[in-house]
Amino acid sequence: MEIFAIANQKGGCGKTTTATNLAAALALNGKKTLLVDLDPQAHASLGLGVEKEIGIYDCLSKISKNKCSLGDIIVNIGPNFDLAPSNIMLSTLDQELSDEIGRESRLFDILKEAAGPYDLCLIDCPPNLGLLTVNAIRAADSLIIPVEASRFSVDGVKRLVEIVDLVRERLNHPVDYRVLVNNFDSRLRHSFKILNKIKETFGAKVFNTIVHINVKIKEAQSMAQTIFTFDKYSRGSKDYFSLSREIISGEEAIVDKISQQMKKIVQKKAREFAPVTFEFSTEGVNSVFVVGDFNNWTLNDDAKLDKVDGVWKKRLNLKPGAYKYRLVVDGKWQEDPGNPNAEKNPFGELDSLLSVKQ
Ligand SMILES: Nc1ncnc2c1ncn2[C@@H]1O[C@H](COP(=O)(O)OP(=O)(O)O)[C@@H](O)[C@H]1O
Ligand SMILES: [Mg+2]
């Protein structure tokens, strides 16, 4: 399970919007996705129409009277899309765990146990850099940092990246991060100016996908829906679908690279061998084997010929070289009658000769 934390201490930059709609897009792509609402304000849960007394607090807390495991709180939102909801109780966790050893790894421990059924997990962080956000960074493989094209502050993101560095050093957990430009208004020159500044500052860390300002996004939230069920032809749907493809194709690119390497190795190996077909045709025979230098004269299933249209055949891939071999027909050893090249062996019988060229 790959885990993404959607974090930025700045409120209103689009964390919750991204968490819910990206989770829905990933699920649409067939990825089994878990969305963890880690904000005591529970905007992601409420935005999906989920209001529960039991939530992620009861998994993270050690003293909750409803103490339970992640599986007990999961709410199914749609195909491939599950939610671990939150509620206001989560705001007490910071204080409750203040003396606990390993308090930064509570979420990491819980998600490790729940990894089984999910391909991907998104964590919606609260708008601060407290214990909950540190837990999310500790649990995540990668951070998605939404920034607004209208009100972007480099310093805010730099503070967050400092925390990422701290988690790497103190907890020995490397986390990558990517920046997502949100609320982009293509009618404003100002938006383009800020976009350039973001790209100058973060370079390749910026997602190619940009989320445009789109009123349908707000409307969907007020109707407790994702943008895909609310209006799948909206600009917002297109943008979040494109973001999901960018995230998934990142994964596919790695798999592709590995399979290309494998292909090259197999092709190289294949060039070292040449295919040779042994054939034998006589009526009333039950089994034929071919044994020789190339298989250490071993009589096993790999040496057995198959009967195809009345002819016994075996194709072997052999390295170039000179070989001696014999056939074993119904248990009796003999030379290959189809091969005129043969020489006497020390027992006075004939070994067939084979020369394999590249
Ligand atoms: N691309 C967008 N277009 C229109 N409204 C947006 C967009 N992104 C976010 N919003 C709105 O901005 C507000 C704050 O977004 P939200 O995702 O709740 O931010 P955060 O979780 O970072 O506090 C919400 O009302 C949301 O509907
Ligand atoms: Mg939020």
Side-chain angles (χ1 to χ4, degrees), residues 8-202:
N8 187 339
Q9 67 275 33
K10 203 165 153 202
C13 61
K15 290 182 288 298
T16 302
T17 304
T18 298
T20 49
N21 292 313
L22 178 59
L26 293 166
L28 275 175
N29 276 287
K31 298 280 177 188
K32 291 203 179 308
T33 305
L34 172 67
L35 169 60
V36 177
D37 187 351
L38 204 64
D39 185 352
Q41 298 173 92
H43 287 162
S45 309
L46 299 173
L48 292 167
V50 176
E51 204 171 347
K52 293 272 179 194
E53 257 181 43
I54 295 181
I56 190 76
Y57 166 76
D58 303 295
C59 307
L60 294 167
S61 163
K62 287 189 171 162
I63 57 166
S64 160
K65 61 179 183 348
N66 299 320
K67 178 107 199 78
C68 57
S69 67
L70 194 71
D72 300 326
I73 65 159
I74 296 288
V75 180
N76 178 250
I77 303 294
N80 299 323
F81 186 2
D82 281 354
L83 168 75
S86 169
N87 57 39
I88 191 67
M89 282 306 291
L90 195 56
S91 59
T92 62
L93 195 77
D94 210 328
Q95 183 125 43
E96 182 189 313
L97 294 183
S98 61
D99 296 329
E100 283 270 342
I101 294 170
R103 60 185 182 276
E104 302 91 348
S105 299
R106 295 285 297 148
L107 184 62
F108 172 78
D109 295 338
I110 286 165
L111 290 179
K112 207 165 47 182
E113 277 167 34
Y118 300 104
D119 301 313
L120 295 162
C121 170
L122 302 185
I123 306 167
D124 184 24
C125 292
N128 58 55
L129 294 176
L131 182 65
L132 290 169
T133 300
V134 171
N135 259 271
I137 297 173
R138 166 68 185 106
D141 300 296
S142 195
L143 237 63
I144 297 175
I145 307 175
V147 296
E148 280 183 287
S150 48
R151 306 181 291 146
F152 164 65
S153 113
V154 177
D155 291 343
V157 179
K158 285 200 169 152
R159 272 285 295 134
L160 179 56
V161 173
E162 274 168 30
I163 304 272
V164 169
D165 291 338
L166 216 65
V167 170
R168 182 186 297 126
E169 278 166 32
R170 298 264 174 89
L171 303 176
N172 194 20
H173 175 66
V175 192
D176 196 11
Y177 72 91
R178 303 281 301 274
V179 173
L180 173 69
V181 177
N182 182 29
N183 256 329
F184 186 82
D185 190 342
S186 52
R187 293 163 304 184
L188 303 178
R189 272 189 56 196
H190 180 66
S191 280
F192 287 94
K193 259 173 120 178
I194 294 204
L195 177 63
N196 278 339
K197 194 169 157 204
I198 295 170
K199 285 193 169 162
E200 267 169 28
T201 314
F202 297 105

Side-chain angles (χ1 to χ4, degrees), residues 277-339:
T277 304
F278 297 89
E279 285 187 12
F280 180 74
S281 45
T282 302
E283 292 293 314
V285 166
N286 293 319
S287 74
V288 183
F289 291 82
V290 57
V291 286
D293 301 329
F294 41 76
N295 59 9
N296 288 326
W297 299 88
T298 316
L299 197 74
N300 61 20
D301 273 356
D302 291 340
K304 198 169 183 190
L305 277 69
D306 298 313
K307 200 168 184 182
V308 185
D309 298 331
V311 180
W312 293 91
K313 285 188 183 182
K314 180 75 189 174
R315 192 181 133 125
L316 292 177
N317 289 317
L318 301 179
K319 280 197 169 182
Y323 298 101
K324 291 176 191 169
Y325 70 97
R326 305 197 83 203
L327 299 178
V328 185
V329 181
D330 282 348
K332 281 200 189 128
W333 293 64
Q334 66 167 75
E335 70 274 17
D336 180 354
N339 182 356

